[in-house]
């Protein structure tokens, strides 16, 4: 499908002075596409030239349109010598390649020079006329975009692609060309590879019958000598346009609820779906009529972009594993895929390996026969890799969550036979994916959600990681969940669903943490009808044959099914999961020394080390989680980085108290005390842990409903508490027979380890998480500030304590920095660690500061608790097999009291039970905040919003306009003059953001969501006064209207219930083609790393 | 310990306190210490390092911003930093604000590099940090260079090109006006005059005597230059110092102010009216010579203000006298019959009255 590209150069402003004598510039512009170049006239003696050029036309293949960037270069004309470069503008044409809409790129772009940064701005217009194309056999994939979020009709499955090319920096010619030429060659190369990759992905998607990619993640691996690898993973889907008459929105069903239900479902039905209709049907109908224009209206508000994933891993008792047992975990150069256990990473697996298998070669926990999922999931088994890259899944999609599954391997880059061909890397990833898949099967799960791939390169060593959350998913969705699915095998899933759902998944769902103040009364009515979906947490494997030692207990919600004591996941907290209190960020940081070596020895050493680090990471995470009084982790991200002498690893996740899982008990320390000194410090530590645990429970409001009475002077309440506790303890004791949370401390080193567990408290007014939404805080009203922070410095000594200090320091100074914004939630905190030099650590941190609005009333806190109580209560009533009658009674009684207090507060109640009133009085002063200035969200944000989140609080997404991915290089030979490394880096970051904003604006958008900054590579040679920095950024361009903006579209009254919404979506999956079915599910959960050396 | 420690946001948020300290010429270290003394650390439980890192982030932003602030029109257009319009206005306004004491030192001087290098003295004298002096000097020079050659209203030009408030634009207009006409302001005798005094006088002159004044017949020339026709016409006022008119004028004035002046002033006036009037008229008729124009302030002080001060006139005396002096003459036949002369008289006396009253610090 050939097309005509038209470019017009309008003007420039604020150009640099190129002629010292006149202090002016004679500027002209070269417009280059592929090999064709057009030039404007020279506009003499002006810093603000106006060319108003004609339209330059380029007749091109659409394949080129996708692969090639449009390159616009601004130069200063010089009669006698070579023209001087002022700077360049690169424009990615992919967003223009929609057939449905005539889009134009029109706006001011910063003129960027790799040696000088931004030098003025250029106004250009770009249009593309595409000729219609009837040839079905397409070379290109015009029209398939790679967005990161939207509404989905069918899920087709995992897609991946990988392209390789030379790195111009390492070509021989680089020795003789200027830095600028080298940087520009590189930038063009990045841009071309990215275009090529997206086109190939697009083709694959079309082949599968999809029309969009979600959960798209594109990464650059700078391998150095062996080239640049650009790879992407995503999930192919079919999107449907959000039209008023479209089946999705109008169809009756549980996933799309009528607005009337909003009280129970405050998050999505009223605000999101309603908004979509409002936003799109009137204004957009003409513009996006075709289902092919996939991404037009993602209501990102409702569907958090799947950039990550969740993974859950049930964990075993801490005390049960010890690293010593892991020795068998690593094997080098075992490339046999048939015996899968090469991975090593899943926490579970670590545990398993440790305790059950001596050698991973024999297949991890072979001895624990794992059970295949009860129901044959043929459709999903037909997928070669049943992976889903989204981290937010539609309600009903997840059935059970198993645990985190991980595979890692260490490779040597200088042993690649054909560095220019992608085959070798394809093989590497295939091995890892296969391993992840088999790990998932071992957990009784048939799918992996929240799937992520990551690399870390240090010289010739590359660590490849693939991880995700093993889960049982429901691809067809329940019948009442409307989304018509394309999947052929729907009945299969229905069967499975029946089994799972019957008697345990009531039709209604409840999002507990939503702010319901306005609808308190309605809420109370609805509570009986709606019961949280606790099945998510139920174990997917059989409890008679555990894949690894795990402590099971009955689900605290339904009390019928077994749940693990702890759940680790890489996904966003599912909307339907009932949670208690608020969530918070939990981070484990490990730092180890290694010997300086190279080649194979080095690789071996690294891979030897990894399992232990992984083990330590999980242990630290688990302990921190328990001290926080929580029991599940979401959004888990793990990153390794290898230096010459150091290996570091950082795991970041958001801890949450999931209602179905048992409450963690207070920490206890055991251990022999060889001398009094240790004993004293042990006791001290015990005390501090205890205090932290109690404080955290208060801070995060984690008390079970019955326990909230603790603070009541009411004697009877205290009695209740005691008996409740007793009851709970009884249960735990009968199940586990031991304390759940024990720290073993044998020597000083352990004490140190344990003291790391005590995070400094977060100052008041701040909430921190690494998920898109802040669990337990729903009244987020406006974006305050997207921030990126880069820290680089010496690591004092290679200890975990020193390493942790860096992060703690970064957090503390972040709080200080953002002090004027409290109360606020810092969401999507993302870390990137690197060891750029010996002993030097670089940590890049990005995140979004979101303003917290006024909590509706003081009673609100009670309300958030009530659903818990109410639901468990009603559940218990309906349940048939409740053994513990006493417990049940207490709970019920408690609920009544709560309800009473609630009603009385609303002053509409007929209850005037003294007790209720009293407990209310007790609560109100405690909960009512001191003079806190909450954010109102009334001011629409400024200019172009950039956010790592998939949604904008207080805004409605109207259009999806395209995906941006830039890899920008900046170099300087005058570091000192630019304010040192700090000044250089600071202005470069600001420039990168400015370039992003300009592209968003030129596409007609006003926000960039799912923004990520990766590959922030800073190299400096201060002696030469020279420095170079590379940054890769990407995100989705959207157009939004702000609720508070008077000019925006009229909004329905309910829309002010702030943006904590999630969209109901149903997915159907039609596995496009037969794939090799892997029935030989090998139980591959061993910890092992593989060093493949290509040379042998 | 940290080699790199930076924070960059999508929106560039400005802390007005830090900005002010930066403008005042303090280094990041000094600023952090000042803020520390203000108790910001205790308030937020932070360490000094955090405060310093935060301050440095702000300073880096200011450093980048400064390029745009030199040409404020760019602040709104630039894409590098996303700043709210209110903040932009604040940034510009504050950047161009100055210390009267510093600018008073610069008034009437040629804005040369040599002058800039001599700012140490100004800094010592005014106790304003050198860096701040330099900024103020550069601003004045920048404004001067930009509007020097422009046609039209001086204040409007400044407002358009520097996006300043009316108040600040008028002050700059005064500086440009004084600098352009090279009025002498640095003499020792003029030392007591403050910057606001000059601003007042300059603006009066711009309004009434320059090419943009409403009485000026052709507006096509530059604002900061005085209406040459008017200056030439001023010579016609000489007629009032002829004996007959002088006597008539004197009698009428004395009559008009009878009983209104303080005793000492009345006595003095009785004796000296002729001298005073002659002086004022001489000044007027000399203004077409650029040399004498330059010495305008000096002449005022020498020939009018100092004698009055010696005679212990109050400011009120000066006011009443000047008012009467101007009004009474308009009733005199010689003036009334010549509309051209009447207009020139009004234009002259109105302005100098206002200036003299402002300049008169008893």
């Amino acid at each position: 499908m050939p097309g005509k590209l038209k470019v017009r150069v309008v003007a420039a402003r604020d150009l640099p002075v190129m002629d010292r004598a006149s202090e002016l510039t004679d500027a002209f512009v070269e417009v280059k596409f592929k090999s064709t170049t057009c030039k404007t006239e020279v506009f003499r003696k002006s810093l603000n030239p106006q060319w108003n050029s004609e339209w330059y036309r380029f007749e091109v293949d659409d394949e080129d349109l996708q692969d090639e960037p449009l390159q616009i270069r601004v130069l200063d004309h010089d009669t006698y010598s070579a023209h001087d470069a002022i700077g360049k503008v690169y424009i990615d044409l992919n967003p223009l390649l929609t057939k449905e809409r005539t889009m134009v790129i029109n706006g001011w772009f910063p003129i960027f020079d790799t040696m000088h940064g931004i030098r003025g701005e250029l106004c250009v217009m770009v249009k593309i006329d595409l000729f219609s194309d009837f040839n079905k056999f397409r070379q290109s994939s015009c029209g398939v975009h790679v967005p990161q979020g939207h509404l989905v009709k069918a899920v087709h499955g995992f897609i991946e692609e990988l392209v390789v090319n030379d790195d111009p920096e390492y070509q021989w010619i680089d020795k003789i060309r200027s830095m600028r030429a080298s940087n520009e060659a590189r930038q063009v190369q990045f841009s071309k590879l990215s275009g090529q990759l997206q086109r190939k992905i697009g083709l694959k998607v079309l082949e599968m019958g999809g029309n969009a990619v979600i959960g798209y993640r594109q990464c650059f691996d700078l391998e150095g000598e062996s080239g640049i690898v650009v790879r992407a993973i995503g999930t192919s889907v079919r999107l449907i346009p959000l039209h008023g008459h479209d089946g999705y929105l109008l169809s009756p069903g549980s996933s799309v609820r009528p607005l009337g239900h909003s009280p129970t479902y405050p998050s999505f039905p009223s605000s999101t779906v309603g908004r979509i209709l409002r936003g799109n049907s009137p204004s957009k109908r003409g513009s996006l009529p075709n289902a092919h224009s996939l991404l037009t209206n993602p209501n990102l508000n409702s569907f958090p972009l799947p950039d990550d994933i969740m993974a859950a891993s049930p964990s075993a008792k801490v005390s049960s594993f010890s690293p010593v047992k892991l020795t068998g975990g690593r094997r080098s150069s075992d490339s046999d895929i048939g015996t899968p256990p090469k991975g090593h990473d899943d926490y579970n697996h670590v545990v398993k390996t440790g305790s059950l298998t001596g050698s991973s070669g024999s297949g991890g926990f072979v001895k624990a026969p794992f059970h295949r999922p009860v129901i044959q999931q043929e459709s999903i088994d037909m997928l070669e890799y049943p992976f889903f890259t989204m981290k937010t899944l539609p309600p009903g999609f997840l059935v059970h969550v198993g645990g985190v599954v991980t595979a890692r391997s260490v490779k040597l880059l200088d042993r690649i036979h054909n560095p220019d061909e992608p085959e070798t890397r394809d093989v590497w990833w295939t091995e890892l994916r296969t391993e992840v898949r088999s790990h998932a099967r071992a957990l009784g799960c048939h799918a992996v959600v929240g799937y992520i791939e990551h690399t870390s390169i240090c010289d010739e060593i590359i660590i490849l990681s693939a991880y995700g959350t093993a889960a049982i998913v429901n691809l067809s969705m329940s019948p009442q969940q409307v989304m018509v699915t394309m999947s052929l095998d729907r009945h299969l899933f229905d069967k499975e669903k029946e089994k799972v759902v019957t008697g345990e998944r009531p039709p209604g769902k409840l999002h507990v943490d939503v702010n319901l103040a306005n609808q308190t009364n309605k809420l109370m009515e609805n509570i009986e009808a709606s019961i949280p979906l606790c099945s998510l947490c139920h174990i997917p494997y059989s409890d008679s044959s555990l894949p690894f030692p795990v402590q099971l207990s009955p689900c605290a919600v339904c009390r019928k099914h077994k749940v693990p004591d702890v759940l680790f996941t890489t996904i966003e907290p599912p909307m339907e999961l009932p949670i208690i209190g608020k969530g918070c960020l939990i981070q484990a940081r490990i730092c180890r020394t290694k010997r300086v070596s190279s080649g194979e020895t080095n690789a071996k050493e690294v891979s030897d080390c990894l399992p232990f680090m992984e083990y330590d990471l999980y242990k630290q995470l688990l302990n921190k989680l328990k001290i926080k009084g929580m029991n599940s982790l979401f959004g888990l991200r793990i990153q390794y980085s290898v230096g010459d002498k150091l290996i570091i690893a950082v795991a970041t996740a958001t801890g949450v108290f999931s209602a179905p899982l048992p409450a963690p008990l207070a920490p206890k320390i055991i251990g022999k005390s060889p001398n009094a000194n240790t004993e004293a410090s042990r006791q001290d530590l015990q005390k501090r842990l205890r205090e932290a645990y109690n404080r955290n429970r208060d801070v995060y409001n984690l008390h079970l409903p019955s326990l909230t009475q603790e603070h009541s002077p009411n004697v009877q309440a205290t009695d209740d508490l005691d008996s409740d506790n007793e009851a709970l303890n009884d249960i735990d004791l009968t199940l586990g027979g031991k304390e759940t949370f024990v720290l073993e401390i044998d020597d000083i080193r352990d004490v140190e380890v344990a003291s790391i567990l005590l995070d400094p408290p977060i100052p008041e007014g701040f909430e921190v998480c690494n998920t898109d939404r802040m669990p337990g805080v729903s009244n987020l009203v406006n974006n305050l500030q997207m921030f990126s922070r880069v820290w680089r410095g010496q690591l004092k000594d290679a200890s975990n304590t020193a390493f942790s200090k860096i992060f703690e320091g970064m957090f503390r100074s972040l709080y200080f920095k953002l002090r004027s914004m409290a109360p606020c939630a810092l969401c999507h905190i993302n870390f990137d660690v690197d060891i750029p030099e010996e002993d030097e650590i670089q940590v890049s941190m990005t995140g979004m500061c979101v303003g917290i609005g006024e909590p509706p009333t003081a009673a609100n806190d009670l309300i958030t608790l009530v659903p818990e109580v109410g639901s468990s209560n009603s559940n218990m009533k309906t349940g048939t097999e409740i053994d513990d009658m006493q417990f049940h009674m207490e709970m019920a009684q408690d609920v009544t009291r709560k309800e009473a207090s609630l009603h009385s507060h609303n002053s509409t109640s007929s209850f005037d039970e003294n007790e209720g009133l009293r407990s209310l009085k007790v609560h109100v002063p405690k909960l009512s905040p001191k003079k806190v200035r909450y954010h109102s969200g009334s001011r629409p944000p400024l200019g172009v919003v950039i956010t790592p989140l998939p949604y904008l609080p207080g805004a409605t997404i109207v259009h999806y306009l395209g995906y941006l991915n830039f890899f920008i290089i900046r170099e300087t030979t005058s570091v000192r003059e630019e304010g040192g490394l700090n000044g250089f880096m600071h202005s470069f970051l600001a420039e990168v953001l400015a370039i992003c904003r300009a592209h968003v604006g030129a596409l007609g958008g006003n926000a960039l969501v799912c923004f990520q900054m990766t590959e922030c590579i800073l190299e400096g040679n201060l002696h030469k006064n020279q420095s170079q920095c590379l940054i890769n950024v990407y995100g989705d361009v959207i157009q939004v209207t702000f609720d508070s903006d008077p000019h925006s579209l009229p909004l329905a009254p309910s829309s002010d219930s702030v943006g904590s919404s999630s969209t109901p979506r149903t997915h159907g999956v039609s596995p496009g083609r037969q794939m090799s079915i892997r029935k030989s599910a090998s139980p591959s959960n061993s910890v092992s790393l593989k060093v493949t050396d290509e040379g042998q | 310990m940290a080699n790199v420690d930076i924070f960059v946001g999508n929106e560039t948020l400005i802390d007005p306190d830090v900005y002010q300290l930066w403008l005042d010429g303090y280094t990041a270290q000094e600023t952090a210490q000042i803020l520390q003394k203000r108790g910001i650390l205790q308030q937020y439980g932070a360490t000094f390092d955090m405060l310093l890192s935060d301050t440095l982030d702000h300073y880096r932003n200011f450093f980048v911003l400064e390029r745009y602030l030199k040409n404020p029109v760019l602040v709104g257009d630039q894409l590098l930093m996303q700043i709210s319009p209110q903040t932009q206005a604040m940034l510009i306004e504050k950047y161009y604000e100055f210390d009267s004491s510093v600018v008073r030192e610069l008034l009437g001087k040629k804005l040369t590099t040599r002058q800039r290098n001599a700012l140490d003295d100004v800094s010592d004298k005014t106790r304003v940090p050198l860096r701040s002096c330099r900024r103020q000097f550069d601003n004045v020079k920048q404004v001067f260079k930009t509007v020097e050659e422009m046609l039209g209203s001086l204040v409007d030009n400044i407002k358009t090109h520097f996006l300043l408030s009316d108040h600040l634009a008028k002050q700059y207009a005064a500086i440009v006006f004084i600098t352009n006409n090279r009025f002498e302001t640095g003499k020792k005798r003029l030392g007591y005059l403050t910057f606001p005094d000059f601003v007042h006088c300059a603006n009066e002159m711009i309004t009434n005597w320059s090419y943009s004044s409403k009485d000026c017949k052709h507006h096509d020339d530059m604002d900061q230059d005085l209406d040459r026709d008017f200056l030439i016409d001023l010579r016609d006022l000489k007629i009032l110092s002829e004996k007959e008119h002088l006597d008539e004028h004197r009698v009428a004035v004395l009559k008009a102010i009878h009983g209104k002046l303080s005793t000492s002033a009345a006595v003095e006036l009785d004796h000296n009216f002729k001298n005073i009037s002659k002086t004022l008229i001489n000044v007027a008729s000399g203004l077409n010579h650029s040399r004498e124009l330059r010495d305008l302030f000096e002449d005022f002080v020498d020939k009018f203000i100092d004698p009055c001060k010696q005679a212990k006139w109050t400011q009120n005396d000066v006011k009443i006298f000047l008012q009467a002096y101007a009004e009474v003459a308009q009733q005199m036949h010689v003036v009334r019959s010549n509309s051209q002369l009447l207009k020139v008289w009004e234009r002259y006396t109105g302005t100098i009255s206002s200036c003299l009253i402002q300049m008169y610090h008893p």
Side-chain angles (χ1 to χ4, degrees), chain A residues 13-14 108-110 118 121 784-794 796 809 812-814 816-819 821 840 939 942-946 977-978 981-983 985-987 989-991 993-994 997-998 1018, chain B residues 1-13 15 18 35 40-41 44-47 50-58 60-61 63-64 67-68 71 74 76-86 145:
Chain A
R13 64 187 179 201
D14 190 24
W108 289 94
F109 293 89
I118 291 179
E121 285 128 32
L784 295 175
Q785 176 73 298
M786 191 282 300
F787 56 87
S788 21
R789 196 155 154 46
V790 179
W791 187 95
R792 181 166 169 172
Q794 307 289 325
K796 268 188 207 141
R812 284 175 63 196
S813 82
L814 184 68
F816 178 67
K817 191 94 207 168
L818 300 174
R819 59 192 182 274
M821 299 188 181
E840 216 177 36
R939 181 178 71 98
L942 190 68
V944 174
V945 179
I946 297 184
E977 292 75 2
E978 295 191 37
L981 273 184
N982 278 311
M985 190 73 197
H986 189 111
S987 55
L989 270 181
E991 283 167 354
L993 293 179
R997 287 194 297 263
L1018 174 65
Chain B
M1 181 170 96
N3 298 337
V4 177
D5 184 10
I6 55 163
F7 176 102
V8 180
N10 184 37
E11 209 173 311
T12 303
L13 301 171
D15 183 328
V18 180
L35 291 173
I40 197 166
L41 292 183
Y44 297 98
T47 64
M50 288 177 200
L51 179 60
L52 184 59
S53 140
D54 186 35
T55 311
L56 284 166
D57 279 324
H58 282 295
R60 279 190 290 271
N61 281 333
F63 177 76
V64 175
R67 188 178 98 74
Y68 298 109
N71 188 356
L74 297 177
D77 282 346
Q78 56 88 22
L79 305 174
L80 192 56
M81 293 186 171
Q82 204 157 241
I83 304 171
S84 73
Q86 299 91 312
K145 272 180 67 183

Side-chain angles (χ1 to χ4, degrees), chain A residues 672-684 746 748 751:
Chain A
K672 289 177 206 122
S673 42
N675 60 52
N677 222 350
T678 331
E679 176 63 22
S681 66
R682 191 178 67 80
Q683 297 241 328
D684 176 54
D746 287 332
I748 290 288
V751 173

Side-chain angles (χ1 to χ4, degrees), chain A residues 331 334-343 360-364 434-435 438 1082-1084 1086 1088 1090:
Chain A
R331 280 171 313 122
D334 176 350
S335 55
D336 180 0
I337 303 173
T339 57
K342 285 151 211 148
S360 62
S362 63
T434 312
E435 194 178 322
S438 55
S1082 36
S1084 61
S1086 56
S1088 80
K1090 188 175 38 176

